[in-house]
Amino acid sequence: MASLVSSPFTLSNPKFEHLSSISQKHYFLHSFLPKRLGGNTKQSSQSFKCAAIGNGLFTQTTPEIRRIVPEKSKGLPTVKIVYVVLEAQYQSSITAAVQSLNRKGEFASFEVVGYLVEELRDENTYKTFCKDLEDANIFIGSLIFVEELALKVKAAVEKERERMNAVLVFPSMPEVMRLNKLGSFSMSQLGQSKSPFFQMFKNKNKSSAGFADNMLKLVRTLPKVLKYLPSDKAQDARMYILSLQFWLGGSPDNLTNFLKMISGNYVPALKSTKIDYSDPVLYLDTGIWHPLAPCMYDDVKEYLNWYAIRKDTNQQIKSPNAPVIGLVLQRSHIVTGDESHYVAVIMELEARGAKVIPIFAGGLDFSGPVEKFFIDPVTKKPMVKSVVSLTGFALVGGPARQDHPRAVEALMKLDVPYIVALPLVFQTTEEWLNSTLGLHPIQVALQVALPELDGGMEPIVFSGRDPRTGKSHALHRRVEQLCTRAIKWAELKRKTKEEKRLAITVFSFPPDKGNVGTAAYLNVFASIYSVLKDLKNDGYNVEGLPENAEALIEDVIHDKEAQFNSPNLNIAYRMGVKEYQTLTPYASALEENWGKPPGNLNSDGEHLLVYGKQYGNVFIGVQPTFGYEGDPMRLLFSKSASPHHGFAAYYSYVEKIFKADAVLHFGTHGSLEFMPGKQVGMSDVCYPDSLIGNIPNVYYYAANNPSEATVAKRRSYANTISYLTPPAENAGLYKGLKQLSELISSYQSLKDTGRGPQIVSSIISTARQCNLDKDVDLPDEGVEISANERDLVVGKVYSKLMEIESRLLPCGLHVIGEPPSAMEAVATLVNIAALDRPEDGISSLPAILAETVGREIEDVYSGSDKGILRDVELLRQITEASRGAITVFVEKISNSKGQVVDVANKLSKMIGFGINEPWIQYLSDTKFYRADRGKLRTLFQFLGECLKLVVADNELGSLKQALEGKYVEPGPGGDPIRNPKVLPTGKNIHALDPQAIPTTAAMQSAKIVVDRLLERQKSENGGKYPETVALVLWGTDNIKTYGESLAQVLWMIGVRPVADTFGRVNRVEPVSLKELGRPRIDVVVNCSGVFRDLFINQMNLLDRAVKMVAELDEPENQNFVRKHALEQAKELGVEIREAATRIFSNASGSYSSNINLAVENSSWNDEKQLQDMYLSRKSFAFDCDAPGAGMTERRKIFEMALSTADATFQNLDSSEISLTDVSHYFDSDPTNLVQNLRKDGKKPNAYIADTTTANAQVRTLSETVRLDARTKLLNPKWYEGMLSSGYEGVREIEKRLTNTVGWSATSGQVDNWVYEEANTTFIEDEQMLKRLMDTNPNSFRKLVQTFLEANGRGYWETSAENIERLRQLYSEVEDKIEGIDR
């Protein structure tokens, strides 16, 4: 961490000519740190203690540094002013104004104290604030937009409002704006009054940017109008508007006159004194500002004329090829003189040969100025090559309410890369450096998450804040990084395609040759081939590109014989140790974990090896892996190790030897973004920042994984481009399951004849052969049962079959640039049609069809779940009719080649012709012929739009835009079935405003799932409620469902979220026990590392909620949170709040429990070792009472809380990812661990909620594993779909088996028959065995090894012959890979 200590910054100086970042003396950040860290700064063994300091909050500063108390000598009356602001830029101006007034001492002495709104979280600071208000004359507030703090300000000021002489609040939340009081002028009726003044506060256009701009216009015109109105009220309103002008003017002179005006007019002791003040000095609302320019400019041509005649610039800037960078600045920093950080960026860019156009705005809407100053009014082309916003805020709306569509529209016109860099707002430089989390959660929400919705990228912290003066200062190393990257993006616009160099990076995980090119849902090599072919046709130099994707695999994985006889990948470069150390400035920091280079990973003992293959100006490289996945001891460490030397050498090669203009990370996902460092807002010593260096990073990411894509955006500065997951199909039925379905059909037609009982006994024995007896309670064979009981048995088996048949599967793997055909999209459309969308006025197709036969669809679902034969059959008919109607619709709308063209025109021809509407034609032959035509029409119009989006192809187009230095349109990631706005793919993926969840709809869905979960647990647990549920929160799930699983936690403990005026959720309130109708359930929440990164505000909310519930005065048998917290507090000797710690995750900068790595690499001894990994890596707690402390280890409380769990619980929320598709689910499963921790040794019940369809289910874990095995691993439709992708398909089959072993290891919930059937399918079938071995021998070897491991660990009992055959196979494939012919 020592390089962090010597990170120089530029001290501000009011004389502009001294501000060039080149000529200035460098000071060092350690002058801000509490203790001098003298001595050797070369070694990286020094590190900061990242525990809580001071009050445990992010903001450690105190208002005392902003307090000025005058000397009492002159006998003048004292005017006391208290102010609260969001940012500190006003501090120096107000201080200067007050000091100047006190020096002159003409009419009053001024006492002033200022608070940053974040400081009010500290209880002691808040008490001081309330005390300060008791004798204050004037209160000033500005930009107070954080609800919980706004309410604190309101409560404190309200008590003193009547007594104070003036209360002035500038743009803030309505609750705080209503405090305004100036003589007879008041805003207590804000939002209700009919007067034109108040109308502007009404939220007509949803955007508070519009509100701020209306205010600015009023500020310009109203004082002139009001001057001539006689009433006091009008004069007081005029004074308010003048105050706002002074405030927005911000300079010490303006604020001096502001204080004179308010004191002279409103402080009784000064009423008789004549106090002269000048009118506000007005600055341009929007314009161009340069520190060396003689004035602000309102015209870009005038500015460029001045720029052209500057004498102080270097020759590079004069060149017509010099990149032009647009900067977006906040006017308040310029007018208050707090602009040294802006100056440093301007000077750094110019020193690096770039021209700069720095624009500013006084309001909160920068979209107008961006269009006005960055786009040539004549040619309509951009005058800049990239844009960097230094405000940190969303382009339209700042910290209040944003208008993202308007921002995107402006940025699409501009069409250049858009970077949003960050000034530290709520932390001083030292607080940020000391924090493992990095940025303050509120700043992450306001200044990282919201700009991402505009398409902003690269959240680089470029300036810090001085704790004494509140002034910003540049962080010089960060400024260099920001400026270099901005210029690199701009260069992509200037360079020709032929000269651009592109490094495509593929992943190999787990490390094995059979795994090169791993990515979720993606056929990587076929996709790379498709991309390279397209780039070649487009003019890029891709010399020597092979004939096809197979040849490309062989080139990268080695030579023609590679598949069988080469242990190594193709070596693109051998890097000597000296060269490595010269190119990699942070190399010595890696020695603590990995020893001296070259080490033994990606090395031949002398050199570091870079694997890959170059074609012209394109390099395809293989990213090294973490390096510790095979080492059980390292996997136990609670924090992740640094990257190894081979990993660092790879990125040094790409940037400094290959000299890439851009790197393209290919598919979801690599290891770069998960390397240790701050969560968001990284410093020089965070590994992702060091590794990516200055290379623009473009990253193909699966559209359904917005959470990890967001981590890649924030930690590896990626421009993430979404790709589609493969088209979904219904799982269908096969083998015995198909036979069973035919028997049920026979039963339905013949049940009333004498053959009914005979058919039922066949159904029962076939169901047993298919292992359905674990899922359905079957009577013993030969036992006589009544007709009703027969119906019920058949109904339950039928219901299970329908569940298997209709499950959605992504079939095969996606290839970039190959969208699905119209018919491939049918299953996706059927599922889109199955959901009600009340907000759009759309009824689901099953609901419309059920209505026609006089039924509610919810009742049909419920009856089918219970196995009522009539309802199971009706649901099957509804499902078939839905599929049929949508299939004929798609056939009609697509052309003879199966393509979708001109949807709007074809729809308009179909719609409104009654019987000719294809869906009506289809339904007329079914029992649903009377379906509501109006509802159907609305639904099919919507489905037409969805179909157009599903088959659109923009994945290659967006990549080329990014490589040409253009803007990639942003769009949400998530599940296209729930949210079709995710489509078309090829968008720059973003998550959502973290403060917007959980939504009301998510809360409704959560209640249903929690109630079903508790009912199921009660029915299986002698009617008793579970006292504690241990559950997992995932980042992606909460983005897709807008916070459903987050809402489930709140509903378990019996609280509800409360949204503020802007719809943001930062508060909760308890639901009464009477309304809840059951006890409050205790929870142990394990948040994934990604959830922690994205939703730290929501972790804070959850922790506050649990602690609030623990402190409620309620009987312990009705409040299990309180019951357990009291027991644990007593045992540990701590306060109840500390004992009620329930929100856990990894240490900051670490991800996963590593159980997945251990299982995937077979690097574990026994289950106890896996459980130790879970405990050591997942026991870091978040504490709402000390959020600045980050994640703190609380292992004892974690173990005690888990030991009370009666049930474990996870959610499945989309059909694309199920329990065995990814290793994350078992990696977070504590089922066996809880059993070991419980005093009674009882295994908790394990449940999975499945909300992938409209009919939400709560199943046991073992039921879900069986369903998964039947629909995927053992299903010919699925594995044949995978094998059609060739090399990658074999790996997908192996991965499912390995993940199944993972579930055996963590939960013991996998039935023996699953392994037995898998062995029959893939090993006993000679033809299948040969296909697997020939297609990808490395993955086949791993498959055989996994079968042997499952048996060796006691998870699979099978015949000795089977095991002998597997051992023989293993040595055969081993010999084949090594190239030995026996």
Side-chain angles (χ1 to χ4, degrees):
M1 284 210 120
S3 68
L4 168 158
V5 180
S6 59
S7 178
F9 70 91
T10 314
L11 268 185
S12 64
N13 186 319
K15 293 274 187 287
F16 288 137
E17 54 272 28
H18 295 309
L19 279 169
S20 156
S21 67
I22 305 112
S23 63
Q24 268 220 281
K25 182 178 174 190
H26 287 151
Y27 290 80
F28 293 96
L29 280 180
H30 59 55
S31 57
F32 274 91
L33 299 180
K35 295 188 186 71
R36 285 303 281 265
L37 297 170
N40 179 3
T41 59
K42 285 208 172 77
Q43 284 306 311
S44 73
S45 55
Q46 297 170 332
S47 65
F48 291 116
K49 186 162 184 279
C50 291
I53 42 177
N55 56 13
L57 299 173
F58 279 86
T59 307
Q60 303 283 330
T61 49
T62 81
E64 297 315 309
I65 53 178
R66 287 172 232 105
R67 190 182 294 280
I68 298 172
V69 180
E71 294 166 16
K72 295 272 187 199
S73 56
K74 298 179 180 170
L76 295 169
T78 299
V79 176
K80 182 173 177 185
I81 300 154
V82 177
Y83 68 90
V84 175
V85 286
L86 175 75
E87 298 181 72
Q89 69 261 46
Y90 276 88
Q91 179 181 332
S92 54
S93 274
I94 293 178
T95 302
V98 168
Q99 283 171 340
S100 128
L101 286 167
N102 284 345
R103 256 196 318 277
K104 291 180 184 157
E106 293 171 31
F107 50 88
S109 296
F110 285 85
E111 180 183 339
V112 68
V113 60
Y115 292 79
L116 299 181
V117 71
E118 270 301 308
E119 290 169 350
L120 300 178
R121 283 185 196 277
D122 183 74
E123 278 314 306
N124 293 331
T125 307
Y126 184 63
K127 282 178 190 151
T128 314
F129 170 62
C130 295
K131 190 127 192 65
D132 272 325
L133 287 172
E134 285 172 10
D135 59 347
N137 300 82
I138 299 166
F139 172 76
I140 303 165
S142 173
L143 294 183
I144 300 169
F145 284 112
V146 180
E147 187 201 26
E148 54 193 303
L149 301 174
L151 296 174
K152 281 184 137 182
V153 171
K154 174 178 178 261
V157 175
E158 248 171 3
K159 285 184 196 151
E160 302 295 332
R161 182 174 179 264
E162 286 313 305
R163 184 197 55 71
M164 283 194 276
N165 309 138
V167 175
L168 289 150
V169 182
F170 305 124
S172 292
M173 293 188 76
E175 295 88 323
V176 194
M177 291 294 285
R178 290 190 190 108
L179 296 169
N180 266 302
K181 172 193 100 157
L182 211 52
S184 56
F185 169 81
S186 153
M187 284 197 188
S188 55
Q189 301 300 304
L190 176 61
Q192 298 149 30
S193 168
K194 294 275 185 286
S195 80
F197 184 87
F198 288 102
Q199 286 305 308
M200 74 172 187
F201 291 96
K202 286 245 174 147
N203 210 354
K204 279 188 197 130
N205 63 350
K206 283 270 175 68
S207 156
S208 67
F211 150 75
D213 285 344
N214 290 341
M215 265 193 109
L216 283 173
K217 284 181 196 134
L218 265 151
V219 166
R220 286 271 183 242
T221 55
L222 213 59
K224 295 168 191 155
V225 178
L226 293 172
K227 199 169 187 175
Y228 302 105
L229 294 176
S231 75
D232 286 347
K233 207 164 195 171
Q235 288 319 304
D236 290 331
R238 175 171 176 265
M239 288 287 176
Y240 176 77
I241 295 288
L242 279 173
S243 301
L244 183 55
Q245 278 189 358
F246 279 126
W247 185 258
L248 293 173
S251 63
D253 282 353
N254 270 335
L255 295 183
T256 302
N257 285 308
F258 163 52
L259 295 178
K260 283 180 173 179
M261 176 184 86
I262 295 297
S263 309
N265 283 293
Y266 296 101
V267 174
L270 301 175
K271 277 273 171 86
S272 53
T273 318
K274 184 170 184 340
I275 301 173
D276 291 325
Y277 59 90
S278 316
D279 279 346
V281 176
L282 298 179
Y283 297 93
L284 291 174
D285 285 342
T286 65
I288 304 173
W289 170 85
H290 189 291
L292 303 179
C295 61
M296 291 176 169
Y297 293 94
D298 192 27
D299 183 320
V300 71
K301 290 283 189 295
E302 280 180 36
Y303 170 76
L304 291 173
N305 289 342
W306 165 77
Y307 211 91
I309 57 167
R310 280 174 66 186
K311 298 279 191 291
D312 62 321
T313 55
N314 58 33
Q315 275 313 301
Q316 279 175 289
I317 290 186
K318 298 277 197 285
S319 149
N321 277 338
V324 184
I325 311 291
L327 295 180
V328 179
L329 317 175
Q330 247 178 302
R331 191 185 73 164
S332 59
H333 278 281
I334 300 168
V335 298
T336 56
D338 179 21
E339 75 307 67
S340 72
H341 55 321
Y342 291 170
V343 174
V345 173
I346 292 167
M347 294 306 170
E348 186 67 46
L349 284 167
E350 291 185 345
R352 290 176 181 273
K355 291 179 182 159
V356 188
I357 304 179
I359 68 166
F360 64 83
L364 300 173
D365 182 355
F366 292 91
S367 60
V370 159
E371 290 182 40
K372 181 177 173 186
F373 300 121
F374 289 160
I375 295 176
D376 188 308
V378 183
T379 65
K380 296 284 182 261
K381 289 198 168 137
M383 291 190 282
V384 293
K385 297 281 189 284
S386 67
V387 168
V388 183
S389 168
L390 300 180
T391 67
F393 287 120
L395 195 71
V396 182
R401 198 187 291 261
Q402 295 70 37
D403 185 345
H404 299 295
R406 188 160 153 196
V408 170
E409 187 188 343
L411 291 165
M412 296 266 284
K413 278 185 202 162
L414 186 61
D415 202 19
V416 299
Y418 174 56
I419 292 170
V420 182
L422 304 168
L424 290 177
V425 174
F426 303 117
Q427 295 147 286
T428 62
T429 306
E430 178 199 338
E431 286 160 6
W432 165 68
L433 285 175
N434 279 336
S435 167
T436 53
L437 294 174
L439 279 186
H440 188 300
I442 296 284
Q443 186 167 3
V444 174
L446 290 178
Q447 298 202 323
V448 180
L450 295 176
E452 283 170 352
L453 307 187
D454 296 344
M457 50 188 191
E458 310 214 352
I460 296 171
V461 174
F462 75 100
S463 72
R465 199 159 58 70
D466 182 314
R468 295 182 312 278
T469 63
K471 280 203 156 191
S472 303
H473 52 242
L475 300 170
H476 196 73
R477 296 267 285 278
R478 305 276 74 211
V479 167
E480 282 175 11
Q481 167 107 339
L482 172 67
C483 296
T484 315
R485 292 188 66 83
I487 291 169
K488 282 271 200 177
W489 276 109
E491 286 288 278
L492 288 175
K493 216 164 182 72
R494 182 188 65 76
K495 283 190 171 182
T496 65
K497 290 173 184 171
E498 199 178 6
E499 64 181 318
K500 276 180 205 165
R501 296 175 74 78
L502 174 65
I504 294 180
T505 297
V506 299
F507 313 119
S508 168
F509 202 83
D512 178 288
K513 275 185 57 183
N515 289 329
V516 173
T518 23
Y521 316 105
L522 196 62
N523 188 331
V524 173
F525 282 106
S527 295
I528 291 178
Y529 191 74
S530 158
V531 166
L532 291 184
K533 234 169 47 182
D534 204 74
L535 291 180
K536 190 175 182 178
N537 295 340
D538 210 29
Y540 287 80
N541 172 2
V542 192
E543 198 184 315
L545 181 66
E547 304 263 298
N548 53 37
E550 285 70 32
L552 183 70
I553 294 178
E554 286 176 2
D555 269 7
V556 174
I557 291 191
H558 209 257
D559 50 38
K560 283 278 174 274
E561 307 305 306
Q563 285 191 318
F564 294 126
N565 60 8
S566 157
N568 259 335
L569 303 169
N570 192 55
I571 295 168
Y573 191 77
R574 288 179 165 81
M575 189 183 287
V577 171
K578 271 274 185 307
E579 181 183 25
Y580 162 68
Q581 287 170 326
T582 311
L583 295 178
T584 316
Y586 53 94
S588 61
L590 313 183
E591 292 177 14
E592 186 184 343
N593 278 305
W594 301 100
K596 295 273 183 211
N600 56 6
L601 294 163
N602 289 63
S603 131
D604 60 7
E606 285 177 46
H607 305 89
L608 287 147
L609 305 178
V610 176
Y611 295 120
K613 179 85 178 165
Q614 191 169 334
Y615 301 100
N617 283 342
V618 176
F619 167 65
I620 301 176
V622 181
Q623 185 190 70
T625 59
F626 283 113
Y628 51 77
E629 50 280 314
D631 180 344
M633 287 322 293
R634 278 183 194 271
L635 291 174
L636 273 168
F637 292 163
S638 62
K639 296 181 181 175
S640 299
S642 68
H644 57 82
H645 296 296
F647 202 100
Y650 176 82
Y651 282 95
S652 292
Y653 168 79
V654 167
E655 182 177 3
K656 293 166 183 167
I657 294 172
F658 176 70
K659 293 191 165 37
D661 291 299
V663 61
L664 168 60
H665 285 95
F666 219 97
T668 307
H669 60 73
S671 318
L672 166 68
E673 60 270 33
F674 297 104
M675 286 294 173
K678 296 184 187 304
Q679 283 175 210
V680 188
M682 290 180 294
S683 72
D684 309 334
V685 295
C686 295
Y687 290 114
D689 181 278
S690 306
L691 289 160
I692 196 63
N694 295 317
I695 326 168
N697 181 10
V698 185
Y699 208 141
Y700 268 134
Y701 235 90
N704 67 353
N705 193 344
S707 62
E708 288 178 321
T710 302
V711 172
K713 284 172 99 74
R714 294 177 186 177
R715 301 187 88 240
S716 68
Y717 309 139
N719 187 345
T720 47
I721 295 176
S722 63
Y723 62 82
L724 202 58
T725 48
E729 288 182 40
N730 297 105
L733 299 174
Y734 54 92
K735 299 182 185 164
L737 298 173
K738 201 168 187 177
Q739 198 184 334
L740 203 49
S741 161
E742 286 158 5
L743 282 168
I744 289 171
S745 292
S746 310
Y747 174 76
Q748 284 184 293
S749 52
L750 302 171
K751 66 175 184 171
D752 296 330
T753 69
R755 290 189 55 204
Q758 191 187 340
I759 299 171
V760 170
S761 71
S762 298
I763 288 173
I764 291 169
S765 66
T766 311
R768 278 215 166 82
Q769 283 161 17
C770 295
N771 300 295
L772 285 177
D773 50 333
K774 304 273 194 312
D775 300 279
V776 178
D777 203 1
L778 298 173
D780 295 333
E781 287 184 44
V783 173
E784 287 250 343
I785 53 175
S786 68
N788 280 349
E789 286 171 328
R790 285 200 296 271
D791 273 7
L792 195 59
V793 169
V794 174
K796 283 182 174 170
V797 173
Y798 194 6
S799 174
K800 202 71 202 160
L801 282 185
M802 292 306 302
E803 179 179 76
I804 294 166
E805 190 278 337
S806 61
R807 195 137 180 99
L808 270 198
L809 308 176
C811 273
L813 295 168
H814 178 63
V815 175
I816 300 279
E818 289 184 16
S821 69
M823 292 316 285
E824 283 175 329
V826 167
T828 302
L829 289 180
V830 170
N831 278 273
I832 288 175
L835 296 179
D836 274 325
R837 299 173 198 273
E839 65 283 3
D840 300 316
I842 295 169
S843 299
S844 76
L845 188 50
I848 297 170
L849 299 181
E851 257 172 36
T852 58
V853 292
R855 296 289 302 275
E856 291 277 327
I857 190 66
E858 289 304 323
D859 291 347
V860 180
Y861 286 147
S862 168
S864 172
D865 291 346
K866 288 176 186 148
I868 297 166
L869 189 55
R870 197 166 61 90
D871 287 348
V872 184
E873 177 59 19
L874 176 60
L875 186 56
R876 186 194 62 78
Q877 291 167 347
I878 287 173
T879 307
E880 269 186 20
S882 300
R883 289 176 192 169
I886 288 171
T887 304
V888 298
F889 163 64
V890 171
E891 281 167 355
K892 274 280 192 305
I893 216 162
S894 49
N895 63 17
S896 54
K897 292 179 188 162
Q899 297 159 322
V900 178
V901 278
D902 197 12
V903 169
N905 187 20
K906 286 191 170 158
L907 263 175
S908 63
K909 283 182 182 163
M910 276 179 208
I911 280 177
F913 290 101
I915 195 69
N916 290 331
E917 293 172 346
W919 50 90
I920 296 289
Q921 282 179 340
Y922 177 85
L923 292 173
S924 63
D925 293 335
T926 68
K927 67 176 352 177
F928 308 109
Y929 61 90
R930 294 171 60 187
D932 184 314
R933 290 187 180 180
K935 286 182 179 177
L936 285 172
R937 202 166 289 153
T938 310
L939 172 65
F940 277 91
Q941 273 177 306
F942 172 69
L943 292 178
E945 286 306 305
C946 292
L947 178 60
K948 195 165 76 179
L949 298 176
V950 173
V951 300
D953 176 18
N954 201 27
E955 295 168 357
L956 270 172
S958 295
L959 170 67
K960 291 196 290 196
Q961 277 175 291
L963 295 179
E964 285 161 32
K966 294 179 175 173
Y967 173 77
V968 178
E969 184 185 352
D975 177 6
I977 289 169
R978 283 174 189 263
N979 179 12
K981 290 192 183 89
V982 167
L983 304 167
T985 46
K987 289 179 179 166
N988 179 356
I989 310 181
H990 59 69
L992 41 73
D993 175 357
Q995 298 179 93
I997 65 171
T999 58
T1000 315
M1003 203 66 203
Q1004 285 306 111
S1005 306
K1007 285 180 182 176
I1008 294 169
V1009 170
V1010 169
D1011 292 345
R1012 286 183 185 174
L1013 169 72
L1014 298 180
E1015 276 312 309
R1016 176 116 202 216
Q1017 168 70 6
K1018 266 175 72 183
S1019 71
E1020 292 174 11
N1021 201 30
K1024 285 197 327 218
Y1025 279 105
E1027 292 200 4
T1028 305
V1029 175
L1031 46 84
V1032 185
L1033 291 183
W1034 298 104
T1036 284
D1037 297 15
N1038 278 287
I1039 295 169
K1040 288 179 185 170
T1041 62
Y1042 295 92
E1044 273 180 28
S1045 46
L1046 180 66
Q1048 288 165 1
V1049 179
L1050 296 176
W1051 192 242
M1052 281 180 198
I1053 62 173
V1055 301
R1056 64 166 62 90
V1058 182
D1060 69 10
T1061 325
F1062 298 119
R1064 296 182 302 210
V1065 178
N1066 285 311
R1067 264 190 326 131
V1068 289
E1069 62 184 24
V1071 174
S1072 70
L1073 285 170
K1074 187 178 175 194
E1075 185 187 335
L1076 198 59
R1078 60 164 170 81
R1080 301 185 194 278
I1081 309 298
D1082 197 0
V1083 289
V1084 188
V1085 183
N1086 162 15
C1087 303
S1088 74
V1090 174
F1091 182 93
R1092 172 207 61 207
D1093 285 4
L1094 267 54
F1095 296 113
I1096 196 90
N1097 288 294
Q1098 269 45 33
M1099 285 176 76
N1100 189 10
L1101 188 76
L1102 284 174
D1103 194 51
R1104 282 185 5 231
V1106 174
K1107 286 173 177 166
M1108 174 178 81
V1109 167
E1111 291 180 321
L1112 292 173
D1113 185 8
E1114 291 175 343
E1116 288 179 28
N1117 65 351
Q1118 289 299 300
N1119 182 338
F1120 297 134
V1121 183
R1122 182 170 177 78
K1123 174 186 171 183
H1124 298 149
L1126 286 169
E1127 288 166 2
Q1128 288 150 10
K1130 188 176 171 187
E1131 191 172 331
L1132 294 168
V1134 296
E1135 292 295 311
I1136 187 167
R1137 281 184 78 78
E1138 191 181 330
T1141 297
R1142 297 289 185 269
I1143 313 302
F1144 297 91
S1145 184
N1146 295 76
S1148 301
S1150 287
Y1151 301 84
S1152 104
S1153 72
N1154 283 352
I1155 290 173
N1156 56 351
L1157 300 184
V1159 167
E1160 285 162 348
N1161 293 279
S1162 306
S1163 50
W1164 54 292
N1165 303 325
D1166 54 25
E1167 289 180 11
K1168 168 96 177 55
Q1169 194 181 37
L1170 297 182
Q1171 291 165 18
D1172 283 346
M1173 281 176 203
Y1174 189 95
L1175 289 170
S1176 75
R1177 288 185 59 85
K1178 283 289 180 185
S1179 57
F1180 290 78
F1182 185 84
D1183 181 2
C1184 66
D1185 297 331
M1191 307 303 298
T1192 319
E1193 193 156 14
R1194 289 272 188 276
R1195 180 155 170 173
K1196 189 70 196 135
I1197 292 182
F1198 186 45
E1199 289 184 14
M1200 290 173 85
L1202 280 173
S1203 72
T1204 64
D1206 299 304
T1208 63
F1209 176 62
Q1210 294 202 50
N1211 282 282
L1212 288 178
D1213 63 279
S1214 90
S1215 54
E1216 292 153 337
I1217 310 178
S1218 194
L1219 288 189
T1220 57
D1221 292 326
V1222 291
S1223 58
H1224 303 58
Y1225 289 118
F1226 74 75
D1227 180 75
S1228 284
D1229 171 55
T1231 307
N1232 282 352
L1233 167 62
V1234 169
Q1235 180 178 12
N1236 275 353
L1237 291 173
R1238 282 183 66 104
K1239 292 192 176 93
D1240 59 8
K1242 182 175 170 236
K1243 187 170 236 173
N1245 290 355
Y1247 297 106
I1248 304 288
D1250 178 345
T1251 56
T1252 58
T1253 63
N1255 182 20
Q1257 300 284 340
V1258 173
R1259 300 187 184 93
T1260 64
L1261 174 55
S1262 55
E1263 282 168 355
T1264 314
V1265 170
R1266 287 194 290 272
L1267 179 61
D1268 231 31
R1270 287 180 176 122
T1271 51
K1272 291 203 170 137
L1273 185 64
L1274 306 175
N1275 183 355
K1277 195 175 201 176
W1278 179 82
Y1279 58 70
E1280 289 297 345
M1282 283 302 164
L1283 286 173
S1284 67
S1285 302
Y1287 165 87
E1288 271 111 337
V1290 183
R1291 182 180 57 234
E1292 291 292 328
I1293 292 168
E1294 175 270 306
K1295 190 169 93 180
R1296 296 305 181 294
L1297 187 70
T1298 301
N1299 290 343
T1300 305
V1301 170
W1303 280 111
S1304 289
T1306 63
S1307 70
Q1309 303 282 305
V1310 184
D1311 298 326
N1312 199 67
W1313 67 263
V1314 172
Y1315 293 113
E1316 197 64 38
E1317 291 280 321
N1319 184 66
T1320 307
T1321 305
F1322 300 111
I1323 305 295
E1324 287 182 11
D1325 178 337
E1326 288 294 332
Q1327 227 176 339
M1328 172 61 77
L1329 185 143
K1330 186 171 177 343
R1331 279 168 75 192
L1332 296 172
M1333 191 188 284
D1334 291 349
T1335 314
N1336 186 337
N1338 289 281
S1339 286
F1340 178 66
R1341 172 175 60 183
K1342 177 77 169 81
L1343 184 80
V1344 174
Q1345 181 194 321
T1346 305
F1347 275 120
L1348 288 168
E1349 189 181 345
N1351 172 260
R1353 293 190 188 277
Y1355 302 144
W1356 173 38
E1357 284 179 33
T1358 189
S1359 67
E1361 296 86 64
N1362 277 347
I1363 296 305
E1364 192 43 49
R1365 173 83 178 106
L1366 285 163
R1367 286 191 183 126
Q1368 198 183 334
L1369 264 178
Y1370 189 80
S1371 72
E1372 272 173 40
V1373 71
E1374 189 93 290
D1375 290 351
K1376 199 165 186 181
I1377 289 170
E1378 298 301 328
I1380 304 165
D1381 285 327
R1382 289 195 172 152

